[in-house]
Amino acid sequence: MRSLLVIHRQTPPSERSDSDSRTLLPEYILRSYGYQVHLARNEEQATAGIGDADGAVLHLPVSEIKAWCGKLEKHKQTPVLWWCSDTAASMSLEACEDDVIIDGLLFPTMKAHELHWSLHFSSAHFYERQQWKNERKQLLARIEERKWIDMAKGILCELKNISESEAYDVLRKQAMNERKRMVDVATSIVKLYQLLQESGSGGAKKS
């Protein structure tokens, strides 16, 4: 990661401590180590900078990280790291139980090589996390497809008085003949059956 989006809010002078000096700010330290930095203090600035960034560094209280991650994900999936300064840490004491997902931590006291390796492993963690999310999404999709196919097999077994294996063959052959996915054929059968059942129930009530 060589280009980083740094997000932090402006701290009023009355709330600043010695740890808020310019030399401890993430944008100053990152630039001094050769990183390209786009600074953002609001969503509009963050949106403008996220496109070219390899990662996002949040200099915020932990309680604000989740909301910012949601805003960033609307525009780009990117590694997110927390800049743990004295100020950010002290403002996060009550957020220890918050459900916050980040890819790494950065500290103002880090030397160049320490920061480099933290960014490196944070990037690797991000891609592993993305892979896990994609695999989970695919698994849930297969489970959903299996549900429709099983429901369709049950309907065919009932209507045609056939076994489950025979019902599966019916679905497979119909999918091949119609050049559709088996789950699409199964979904059509289930929805048509449900529609007929509702129509039959409605007619029975009217009589």
Side-chain angles (χ1 to χ4, degrees):
M1 286 189 278
R2 298 306 304 177
S3 178
L4 297 166
L5 172 67
V6 173
I7 300 173
H8 63 81
R9 61 184 183 181
Q10 182 71 44
T11 305
S14 60
E15 297 180 9
R16 292 179 185 172
S17 64
D18 293 339
S19 62
D20 290 310
S21 65
R22 178 172 175 268
T23 57
L24 293 180
L25 292 174
E27 59 270 27
Y28 179 88
I29 294 175
L30 291 168
R31 283 170 179 157
S32 70
Y33 290 154
Y35 294 91
Q36 295 180 351
V37 175
H38 181 93
L39 183 61
R41 299 184 185 277
N42 54 52
E43 186 174 354
E44 182 180 357
Q45 293 174 345
T47 300
I50 191 62
D52 296 327
D54 301 320
V57 178
L58 307 187
H59 186 207
L60 304 162
V62 168
S63 58
E64 298 180 18
I65 291 178
K66 190 172 184 178
W68 266 106
C69 287
K71 294 174 183 177
L72 295 176
E73 286 179 358
K74 293 178 182 178
H75 305 282
K76 183 180 179 180
Q77 299 286 336
T78 190
V80 174
L81 300 95
W82 183 43
W83 187 268
C84 187
S85 65
D86 288 343
T87 301
S90 63
M91 295 176 68
S92 304
L93 297 178
E94 297 181 359
C96 293
E97 302 299 324
D98 286 11
D99 182 21
V100 175
I101 297 177
I102 58 174
D103 298 297
L105 290 171
L106 298 176
F107 297 90
T109 54
M110 281 183 168
K111 297 178 181 178
H113 64 281
E114 294 172 330
L115 196 142
H116 163 80
W117 282 111
S118 183
L119 289 172
H120 172 77
F121 286 117
S122 297
S123 179
H125 179 266
F126 165 75
Y127 288 110
E128 288 178 0
R129 185 163 60 85
Q130 290 301 110
Q131 183 178 359
W132 178 85
K133 286 174 65 176
N134 291 335
E135 290 175 353
R136 181 177 182 272
K137 184 178 180 179
Q138 292 172 8
L139 177 60
L140 292 176
R142 287 197 294 267
I143 292 173
E144 183 70 11
E145 290 179 2
R146 186 76 257 175
K147 181 189 76 173
W148 286 106
I149 291 173
D150 287 344
M151 291 173 65
K153 286 196 304 182
I155 292 171
L156 291 174
C157 288
E158 176 186 342
L159 296 180
K160 294 179 175 292
N161 194 26
I162 56 178
S163 66
E164 284 195 12
S165 60
E166 290 172 324
Y168 183 86
D169 287 338
V170 170
L171 287 172
R172 182 176 57 81
K173 291 176 181 177
Q174 185 172 340
M176 291 177 62
N177 292 336
E178 297 180 6
R179 295 183 179 180
K180 293 181 178 179
R181 297 187 307 157
M182 190 182 297
V183 64
D184 295 330
V185 173
T187 302
S188 298
I189 291 173
V190 172
K191 289 185 176 181
L192 177 59
Y193 179 78
Q194 291 173 341
L195 181 62
L196 293 174
Q197 289 290 98
E198 291 173 2
S199 299
S201 300
K205 290 179 180 178
K206 291 178 182 179
S207 60

